[in-house]
Amino acid sequence: MTDRPHHRPMTPGDRFFAAIEAGDDPALIAEAADRAATIIVRGARGADQEEVGERLLHLAETEGIETIAELWSGAPADSLAGCLWRLFLLRQWVYADPVGVARQFEAGRAHAEVASSVAGVADPPGPDELKTMVDHVLRGIAVSEFADVLFRAAAFARVVATGRAVTDASPDDASRMQTLADQLERSARQELDQQLG
């Protein structure tokens, strides 16, 4: 026992709560991520959509889209924000290792059950051709049907996953890329159903 007498805990007043630094509200962050994704995917239709596609590609080359992409990182795979996060990651990966990606794509295209025209990579698929393809996919967000963009990205990821499976890549690497392909394809089918629905 202590000599200290029992006392009621102090109830903090309004000033106590006002003095605490407020963190970012996760609900507001998720809402902002969804709104940005919706504007990018749904809001770029019209006479200037080619220009919007170019601006979107330019954003991917600057830090501006990275900030937005961070917001998308926690979004569910089947949401617009989640789809854009996956497309952004795909582009970043291609630009970070174009030679390795070209090698994996080349190894996979003979074995993958995907039409090479769907994946949309020039023949032969070198590093520069892969960068061109992934930029075309990103531009397509603004100028094409979003389902087509997702189907194309899914086909590309599926070919790379197959390439990883038949080369010396770890099974986990092949599995992660296959999961990405499955998520993109599932989202593409949902997008197509929504368009037709």
Side-chain angles (χ1 to χ4, degrees):
M1 285 267 171
T2 65
D3 294 339
R4 188 172 158 214
H6 178 72
H7 65 281
R8 262 178 52 171
M10 182 180 87
T11 305
D14 290 341
R15 282 181 286 168
F16 173 82
F17 289 105
I20 296 175
E21 285 277 332
D24 294 326
D25 183 344
L28 292 176
I29 290 172
E31 182 183 346
D34 287 341
R35 284 173 127 182
T38 301
I39 289 168
I40 288 170
V41 173
R42 309 271 188 242
R45 300 294 179 251
D48 64 342
Q49 66 187 26
E50 292 288 337
E51 182 183 329
V52 172
E54 288 303 317
R55 286 197 329 241
L56 182 59
L57 182 60
H58 178 70
L59 272 176
E61 295 168 351
T62 65
E63 64 276 1
I65 198 153
E66 288 179 4
T67 303
I68 296 171
E70 281 300 315
L71 297 177
W72 296 334
S73 66
D78 61 349
S79 68
L80 288 179
C83 291
L84 291 178
W85 169 246
R86 282 150 184 79
L87 293 174
F88 177 75
L89 284 181
L90 209 55
R91 183 182 190 275
Q92 293 297 94
W93 172 66
V94 168
Y95 268 77
D97 185 18
V99 173
V101 175
R103 189 173 51 251
Q104 291 173 358
F105 186 87
E106 178 64 31
R109 74 182 179 147
H111 303 284
E113 296 180 20
V114 174
S116 59
S117 61
V118 175
V121 179
D123 195 15
D128 290 335
E129 289 79 11
L130 286 165
K131 287 180 181 179
T132 299
M133 181 281 307
V134 79
D135 284 346
H136 188 70
V137 167
L138 200 64
R139 265 189 217 99
I141 293 168
V143 300
S144 302
E145 293 298 328
F146 194 53
D148 294 341
V149 171
L150 294 174
F151 276 126
R152 188 170 181 196
F156 172 74
R158 195 169 311 286
V159 171
V160 171
T162 303
R164 286 180 171 187
V166 298
T167 61
D168 295 332
S170 77
D172 287 345
D173 287 345
S175 177
R176 277 192 295 273
M177 188 58 70
Q178 183 63 47
T179 298
L180 176 65
D182 292 344
Q183 290 171 338
L184 289 168
E185 187 170 327
R186 196 166 34 254
S187 294
R189 292 191 189 290
Q190 289 172 354
E191 181 74 13
L192 199 55
D193 289 345
Q194 185 178 355
Q195 288 173 6
L196 299 175

